[in-house]
Amino acid sequence: MTTRRNFLQAGAFSLAAMGALQAGAQENDAEEILFSSPLENADAQLWEKEGKPLRAVLIGCGWYGKSDVFRLIQCGGEKISVVGLCDVDRRVLEEAGKLVAARQVSGKVPNLYRDHREMLEREKPDVCLISTPDHWHALQMIDAVKAGCDVYVQKPIGVDVRECLAMREAVRASDRVVQVALQRRSTPVLQDAIRKYLDPHALGQVAGVTTFCDWGSRKPIRQEPVAIPEWVDFDRWAGPAPVIPYYPNIHQRRWRIRMEYGNGYLGDMAVHMLDMVRWMLKLEWPTRISSFGGTYVNRGGISNISDTQNVTWAFPDLNVTWEHRQWSDVRDPDYPWGAILYGSEGVLKANPWRYAFRPNNGRAWRKVVATTEYDRYPTDETEPGLERQIAGANRAHMWNFLARVVDRGKPNASIEQGCISSVCCILANISAALGGVTLDWDPETFTVKNCPEANALLARPYRSPWVHP
């Protein structure tokens, strides 16, 4: 057990966040408890006992692709053989091959591909990881399921609403296990918060939730287009999406700042927090969705995603809101990204690596923060680009996937739940694009009941020869 003092740095914030700051006036006097993931994990034990050798492949070998496949190797051990890697960037692909060979038990360099369809046909894998940009998820996941793979796919599951529906239906029509990379559902420190505060109803009635991301000031990226490097197949990278001028490294992590290939901060960050809240509170579909936003400060760069956006998802007897503001300081350095659940008996703040609870009777906050797992996984400490605070949660999510491959059960982040959270964020962007109109959503027909203009935006046009599923 350890303690430390925190100083809350206040910037511009919403009224909901202001209320949380006032409620947390005593938080800097609170004790901070370090949380270690349990040594015994039922999913890991099932995999260790009953797991069979699996042939695995990875589509998308960039930042999070490597992170995902390294967690697969860590969790699967000698039973996992990574036999194929696919990427349109030759340099990234070759580097990933060497790194995987150094980590997997066999020491073999996987076969390298630029076309995922060729890899699926030749390697006939049991498991496929998909860590490409959002605009490729649907076609690749459907192809992998049809090829007989169990799939671990990054979030959001699709780049438009109709893609998400097609992916859900493809999985329902198969006997495949599909885990969406919404890792909060497997995060041990958050499971601890549920056991101690939500299951016993310590918050009372939760009637308001705010979610947010304000990592701090981010200046616009100003670049001129450059020639496409000879080692990048940019046409294949764009695939069904539009081809824009090539900016340095746009095909790597910077694709997230272009709406052609993703859904901005809602598809990148909000989907995690909305899904976390829905899991914690056992929520399914909202009935109404509205959003306002735009680029208010960081103008003049190559980005075309909003730097400011507010969303309301209306559930029965509960509104869940989102706010991102990528041009000012964070409201709370402990929670630059997270959620605040307001109950009639208390308040719970949570993000992927910590939580804090305070009852409404004025007692001090109880603060819990997850530790790293360097003692168990020393390579975490030196792995480039690893989000170290949540590596344990990613392992727990991967073990949950592997255990469901064994027993054929439903994973923590099933395609159904991934579909709901992804579609809710995509619909919020549609609302904002239409000037903030409130969308009345019908999950049975997958249509907006009150806005034909919104229904016209449920599917994005595909670039030939690719065909929308």
Side-chain angles (χ1 to χ4, degrees):
M1 184 178 295
T2 185
T3 64
R4 68 177 177 82
R5 303 286 182 174
N6 292 327
F7 293 93
L8 299 178
Q9 300 175 351
F13 43 79
S14 66
L15 292 176
M18 183 182 294
L21 187 60
Q22 292 169 345
Q26 300 176 21
E27 185 177 357
N28 55 349
D29 293 321
E31 186 176 57
E32 185 173 88
I33 300 170
L34 297 181
F35 175 89
S36 296
S37 299
L39 291 174
E40 294 185 358
N41 178 305
D43 289 329
Q45 290 172 336
L46 177 62
W47 167 254
E48 182 65 26
K49 181 180 179 181
E50 300 184 25
K52 306 297 183 184
L54 297 177
R55 293 169 55 83
V57 296
L58 167 67
I59 308 174
C61 300
W63 169 44
Y64 235 85
K66 287 192 283 287
S67 180
D68 284 343
V69 78
F70 294 163
R71 303 293 81 72
L72 176 67
I73 293 169
Q74 282 182 333
C75 295
E78 62 184 11
K79 298 177 185 178
I80 293 294
S81 178
V82 181
V83 297
L85 301 174
C86 179
D87 202 279
V88 299
D89 185 318
R90 187 182 72 245
R91 291 184 175 183
V92 167
L93 185 61
E94 291 174 352
E95 177 197 38
K98 295 175 183 177
L99 292 173
V100 168
R103 283 165 172 78
Q104 66 177 343
V105 174
S106 69
K108 294 181 179 179
V109 176
N111 293 321
L112 307 181
Y113 297 88
R114 284 202 171 189
D115 188 327
H116 74 276
R117 297 166 299 183
E118 180 185 3
M119 180 175 69
L120 292 172
E121 181 178 355
R122 288 192 177 185
E123 300 298 340
K124 296 180 170 46
D126 305 297
V127 167
C128 178
L129 310 184
I130 299 174
S131 297
T132 46
D134 300 352
H135 68 283
W136 262 114
H137 291 177
L139 293 180
Q140 290 168 344
M141 193 221 75
I142 292 171
D143 285 345
V145 167
K146 289 181 177 179
C149 296
D150 295 321
V151 178
Y152 186 100
V153 61
Q154 272 298 326
K155 54 73 202 172
I157 64 168
V159 79
D160 69 43
V161 171
R162 293 297 177 189
E163 280 188 349
C164 295
L165 175 61
M167 295 169 76
R168 188 191 73 177
E169 296 310 298
V171 177
R172 285 182 174 181
S174 74
D175 61 351
R176 297 296 89 195
V177 171
V178 175
Q179 174 90 297
V180 182
L182 291 167
Q183 305 95 314
R184 307 292 76 78
R185 291 174 180 260
S186 299
T187 301
V189 71
L190 297 177
Q191 293 170 341
D192 183 68
I194 291 173
R195 284 192 300 269
K196 291 178 178 174
Y197 299 107
L198 289 173
D199 287 348
H201 305 290
L203 273 70
Q205 180 184 355
V206 178
V209 177
T210 182
T211 62
F212 52 87
C213 179
D214 48 14
W215 286 109
S217 180
R218 296 188 179 185
K219 301 300 182 183
I221 298 173
R222 293 185 171 89
Q223 294 178 340
E224 294 298 325
V226 298
I228 299 171
E230 58 87 16
W231 58 85
V232 176
D233 186 342
F234 191 57
D235 184 77
R236 184 179 295 279
W237 180 88
V243 177
I244 65 170
Y246 185 86
Y247 298 95
N249 296 321
I250 191 69
H251 71 288
Q252 296 179 16
R253 293 174 68 167
R254 285 179 178 167
W255 60 265
R256 291 172 175 82
I257 66 173
R258 297 292 305 199
M259 287 296 289
E260 293 89 347
Y261 310 119
N263 270 282
Y265 285 106
L266 287 182
D268 191 22
M269 308 299 283
V271 67
H272 274 300
M273 291 301 100
L274 174 63
D275 190 73
M276 179 182 78
V277 169
R278 290 202 314 103
W279 164 59
M280 285 180 153
L281 299 180
K282 299 179 174 62
L283 303 173
E284 291 296 319
W285 287 99
T287 57
R288 297 182 306 281
I289 300 164
S290 61
S291 177
F292 288 91
T295 301
Y296 299 158
V297 177
N298 292 331
R299 296 170 175 156
I302 65 172
S303 171
N304 64 0
I305 65 173
S306 67
D307 66 7
T308 309
Q309 196 160 347
N310 297 79
V311 182
T312 298
W313 295 283
F315 295 88
D317 301 317
L318 171 66
N319 287 344
V320 177
T321 65
W322 165 266
E323 178 186 26
H324 70 253
R325 186 189 60 254
Q326 300 300 314
W327 42 263
S328 70
D329 203 358
V330 298
R331 69 195 78 191
D332 181 341
D334 284 342
Y335 293 89
W337 176 41
I340 307 173
L341 285 65
Y342 299 94
S344 59
E345 303 296 329
V347 178
L348 179 70
K349 300 177 18 172
N351 71 16
W353 57 88
R354 67 191 308 140
Y355 73 84
F357 171 76
R358 182 178 183 271
N360 288 347
N361 60 16
R363 295 181 190 171
W365 289 82
R366 182 180 186 271
K367 301 168 64 178
V368 179
V369 59
T371 62
T372 57
E373 299 181 353
Y374 298 155
D375 55 333
R376 305 182 212 175
Y377 302 94
T379 57
D380 282 5
E381 195 166 6
T382 57
E383 182 179 318
L386 177 65
E387 294 178 313
R388 291 173 174 79
Q389 288 176 297
I390 61 173
N394 289 350
R395 272 186 289 272
H397 207 50
M398 191 64 73
W399 268 317
N400 179 256
F401 172 59
L402 290 172
R404 302 295 79 79
V405 170
V406 172
D407 66 17
R408 313 311 295 171
K410 184 169 288 189
N412 285 347
S414 66
I415 194 68
E416 286 83 3
Q417 297 305 322
C419 180
I420 295 173
S421 294
S422 299
V423 167
C424 285
C425 291
I426 295 168
L427 288 172
N429 275 334
I430 291 175
S431 170
L434 295 175
V437 61
T438 297
L439 306 179
D440 293 334
W441 176 245
D442 184 350
E444 297 300 320
T445 62
F446 251 66
T447 58
V448 177
K449 294 185 285 187
N450 65 322
C451 185
E453 295 84 358
N455 285 324
L457 300 176
L458 297 183
R460 298 189 186 186
Y462 265 35
R463 190 168 64 102
S464 180
W466 308 99
V467 178
H468 198 291

